[in-house]
């Protein structure tokens, strides 16, 4: 039986540790038949080591999503490994420490602009950079965290995620006529490197998530989120775009 992503060609950003959502997506995507290219920011040798631990070693290309020169050459560099792209995973987020853990009222524009550039605008920038390779039926998937609420300690990253959600809708509108879908997966809290930047050991709102979520929640297991990303990257949701799919155990719909 063919895999869910048999024959698909994907660009996956955000692989930095084996616990990352992006790494789980990369591993499962290969198991489901996809060919992938990983991007690396600043720690290329580390990402190459992780690429060798996948079921099949994946090529790695350098990418700083805030660097126009790297974005301008991304399609050519990915094109050395893939003759087209059927899916892109945007798993990129960053905010300076001043923007988190109570810094909402004190963070300055230089810090806030860095958070918005990396975490929000980069979805459009990455998609535009990959546009020459994207084929009809392609899917762009971004990793989100529910921006409909104000979470303790999340501060300007919450604002950036709200912008990401708006950005995905506008991209979906622009690319829909070319048969390209754009969706987000709103994940529950996971013990990733990014999460450890909030509150030291992880966000305070992780506490109690498993008991409030009807399906429960394991913050050490990225596979449920990765599987949701794979579903959106596949051909099984051809009429779904501009959507936010929650993979959080159902926590988002429980009243306080």
């Amino acid at each position: 039986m063919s895999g869910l992503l048999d024959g698909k060609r994907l660009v996956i950003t955000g692989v930095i540790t084996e616990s990352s959502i992006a790494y789980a997506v990369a591993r499962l995507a290969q198991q489901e038949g996809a060919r992938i290219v990983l991007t690396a920011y600043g720690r290329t040798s580390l990402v190459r080591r992780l690429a060798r631990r996948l079921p099949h070693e994946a090529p790695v290309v350098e990418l700083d999503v805030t660097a126009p020169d790297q974005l301008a050459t991304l399609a050519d560099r990915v094109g050395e490994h893939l003759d087209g792209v059927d899916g892109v995973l945007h798993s990129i987020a960053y905010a300076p420490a001043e923007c988190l853990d109570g810094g909402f009222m004190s963070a300055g524009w230089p810090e806030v602009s860095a958070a918005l550039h990396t975490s929000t605008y980069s979805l459009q920038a990455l998609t535009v950079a990959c546009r020459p390779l994207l084929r009809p039926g392609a899917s762009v998937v971004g990793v989100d965290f529910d921006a409909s609420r104000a979470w303790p300690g999340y501060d300007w990253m919450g604002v950036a995620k709200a912008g990401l959600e708006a950005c995905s809708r506008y991209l979906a509108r622009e690319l829909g006529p070319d048969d390209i879908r754009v969706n987000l997966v709103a994940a529950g809290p996971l013990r990733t490197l990014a999460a450890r930047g909030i509150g030291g050991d992880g966000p305070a709102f992780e506490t109690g998530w498993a008991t409030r979520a009807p399906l429960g929640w394991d913050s050490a297991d990225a596979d449920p989120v990765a599987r949701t990303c794979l579903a959106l990257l596949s051909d099984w949701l051809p009429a779904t775009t501009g959507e936010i799919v929650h993979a959080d155990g159902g926590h988002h719909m429980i009243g306080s």
Side-chain angles (χ1 to χ4, degrees), residues 82 111 142 150 162 190:
L82 302 175
E111 292 78 28
L190 292 165

Side-chain angles (χ1 to χ4, degrees), residues 40-103:
Y41 166 62
R43 303 167 87 176
T44 306
S45 60
L46 171 61
V47 178
R48 291 191 192 280
R49 286 200 298 273
L50 291 169
R52 289 194 289 270
R53 297 177 190 171
L54 292 168
H56 309 283
E57 184 176 352
V60 177
V61 299
E62 187 176 353
L63 177 63
D64 176 352
V65 289
T66 67
D69 57 332
Q70 292 193 20
L71 289 164
T73 62
L74 180 63
D76 289 338
R77 291 182 289 122
V78 170
E80 295 175 5
H81 307 283
L82 302 175
D83 57 356
V85 171
D86 303 293
V88 177
L89 179 76
H90 177 281
S91 186
I92 301 169
Y94 166 76
E98 294 87 347
C99 294
L100 303 167
D101 294 326

Side-chain angles (χ1 to χ4, degrees), residues 96 98-99 103-116 156:
E98 294 87 347
C99 294
F104 183 79
M105 299 296 286
S106 58
W109 175 242
E111 292 78 28
V112 172
S113 64
L116 296 177
W156 281 103

Side-chain angles (χ1 to χ4, degrees), residues 56-254:
H56 309 283
E57 184 176 352
V60 177
V61 299
E62 187 176 353
L63 177 63
D64 176 352
V65 289
T66 67
D69 57 332
Q70 292 193 20
L71 289 164
T73 62
L74 180 63
D76 289 338
R77 291 182 289 122
V78 170
E80 295 175 5
H81 307 283
L82 302 175
D83 57 356
V85 171
D86 303 293
V88 177
L89 179 76
H90 177 281
S91 186
I92 301 169
Y94 166 76
E98 294 87 347
C99 294
L100 303 167
D101 294 326
F104 183 79
M105 299 296 286
S106 58
W109 175 242
E111 292 78 28
V112 172
S113 64
L116 296 177
H117 193 175
T118 306
S119 307
T120 305
Y121 179 75
S122 63
L123 178 63
Q124 185 265 12
L126 175 66
T127 303
V128 170
C130 291
R131 184 68 187 88
L133 292 174
L134 290 175
R135 299 295 182 250
S139 173
V140 177
V141 176
V143 177
D144 188 22
F145 187 81
D146 185 6
S148 66
R149 306 183 192 186
W151 299 98
Y154 213 45
D155 296 340
W156 281 103
M157 182 56 78
V159 176
K161 289 296 188 183
L164 181 77
E165 293 177 359
C167 183
S168 71
R169 289 189 288 269
Y170 279 91
L171 277 172
R173 186 188 68 174
E174 294 292 329
L175 297 177
D178 296 323
D179 194 23
I180 297 171
R181 294 168 286 134
V182 183
N183 295 285
L184 300 180
V185 173
L190 292 165
R191 292 172 193 164
T192 62
L193 185 64
R196 289 198 293 272
I198 305 169
D201 294 329
F205 47 79
E206 179 186 332
T207 304
W209 197 284
T211 56
R212 287 178 54 80
L215 294 175
W217 185 253
D218 182 354
S219 59
D221 184 8
D223 271 23
V225 178
R227 289 175 182 272
T228 306
C229 293
L230 258 63
L232 288 167
L233 289 166
S234 78
D235 293 329
W236 280 94
L237 295 166
T240 300
T241 197
E243 188 59 83
I244 302 171
V245 181
H246 289 79
D248 65 353
H251 184 280
H252 70 282
M253 57 84 177
I254 296 298

